[in-house]
Amino acid sequence: MKITNAETLKQALASMRLEGLSLSPEVNTLMLNALVDPNIDTEDIKRLLVKPYRNAKEKRDGH
């Protein structure tokens, strides 16, 4: 899904900072880029968020 409201994304990032939460550097960079790049969508962010879990599962399963 395309990110059509950069203000909502800015608000989410600001709320996370206020709560003392952080993203991995890669996810944070992608989120910041999404503020100005209309080609980044929620699937790109989701893929990056689940990547470590997918890699761990593949290692466990021997793939």
Side-chain angles (χ1 to χ4, degrees):
M1 176 187 320
K2 291 291 181 192
I3 298 169
T4 58
N5 190 337
E7 288 304 313
T8 301
L9 183 53
K10 286 180 191 176
Q11 188 73 29
L13 291 168
S15 294
M16 288 181 62
R17 282 192 301 273
L18 285 173
E19 293 292 326
L21 302 173
S22 63
L23 298 167
S24 71
E26 297 86 2
V27 174
N28 191 56
T29 299
L30 185 61
M31 297 283 277
L32 293 174
N33 287 339
L35 293 171
V36 294
D37 184 348
N39 295 314
I40 296 173
D41 65 22
T42 57
E43 284 301 311
D44 297 322
I45 296 167
K46 178 181 167 187
R47 224 175 288 117
L48 192 55
L49 286 169
V50 300
K51 183 179 178 180
Y53 302 102
R54 186 175 303 136
N55 290 344
K57 183 181 182 312
E58 288 173 358
K59 285 180 185 175
R60 263 195 330 267
D61 294 345
H63 295 133

